[in-house]
Amino acid sequence: MTKLNELAPRPGSTKNRLRVGRGPGSGKGKTAGRGVKGQKARSGVAINGFEGGQMPLHMRMPKRGFKNADRLQFAEVNLWRIEQAIAAGKLDAKKPIDAAALLAAGVIRRAKDGVKLLGKGELSSKIEITVYAATGSARAAVEKAGGSLTATKPAPAEAEA
């Protein structure tokens, strides 16, 4: 049986690191492969994007756009995807469909801030669906199939004068 003091990696599987700056005979002596003098030959160099005191390019470029930190992100679902889940037996068209049912059926990965129903595809099943918001074409398609759609999106607040 092998003893702990006899454990060693397989021959040829490991390689010693190159020790630079150990004399001219090593091939990596004196400047240790860094070239000659200058900032980059010294240790502790961090000059990525530095332009010698000139305003760096990324700071000279104009700022564009606006990202609203309070924006809502929705799980978007198309009609064809719901129809596909009903056909596969993952969704029951007779029961009310909401974010939890879509999540359980694997139609959406996560509910995020709500589900938005989009109108791409055909809907032949009569469904009763509750979502945060829906496009006009999706609403029309659900009602055309004989179903009902409830949007939980709050009405826009009236501007106070």
Side-chain angles (χ1 to χ4, degrees):
M1 188 164 156
T2 310
K3 298 182 187 83
L4 281 176
N5 67 323
E6 292 173 357
L7 286 176
R10 293 180 66 112
S13 68
T14 60
K15 198 173 178 182
N16 294 336
R17 72 177 182 87
L18 185 65
R19 298 179 67 224
V20 296
R22 294 294 181 272
S26 70
K28 279 277 190 274
K30 196 183 169 195
T31 55
R34 286 173 172 265
V36 206
K37 292 188 179 176
Q39 187 178 8
K40 289 170 115 178
R42 317 280 186 238
S43 67
V45 175
I47 53 172
N48 205 357
F50 182 69
E51 298 185 23
Q54 171 178 293
M55 189 58 65
L57 181 68
H58 67 90
M59 292 172 78
R60 293 196 304 264
M61 292 289 109
K63 290 185 277 187
R64 291 258 186 265
F66 171 74
K67 277 258 169 86
N68 184 1
D70 297 326
R71 72 190 176 279
L72 296 175
Q73 291 188 315
F74 301 110
E76 296 172 341
V77 180
N78 274 300
L79 293 172
W80 68 267
R81 188 71 187 87
I82 290 176
E83 187 61 41
Q84 186 183 51
I86 291 169
K90 293 180 178 180
L91 272 177
D92 187 5
K94 292 168 180 63
K95 291 182 181 172
I97 298 171
D98 58 354
L102 293 171
L103 197 65
V107 175
I108 57 174
R109 201 175 287 174
R110 59 190 69 84
K112 296 184 181 176
D113 292 318
V115 177
K116 184 166 184 177
L117 188 63
L118 307 179
K120 189 177 254 186
E122 291 293 317
L123 188 69
S124 56
S125 309
K126 179 182 174 182
I127 60 171
E128 189 181 314
I129 188 162
T130 304
V131 290
Y132 183 84
T135 61
S137 58
R139 187 179 293 276
V142 169
E143 288 167 0
K144 182 182 167 195
S148 66
L149 188 144
T150 310
T152 60
K153 182 177 181 178
E158 295 291 323
E160 292 180 28

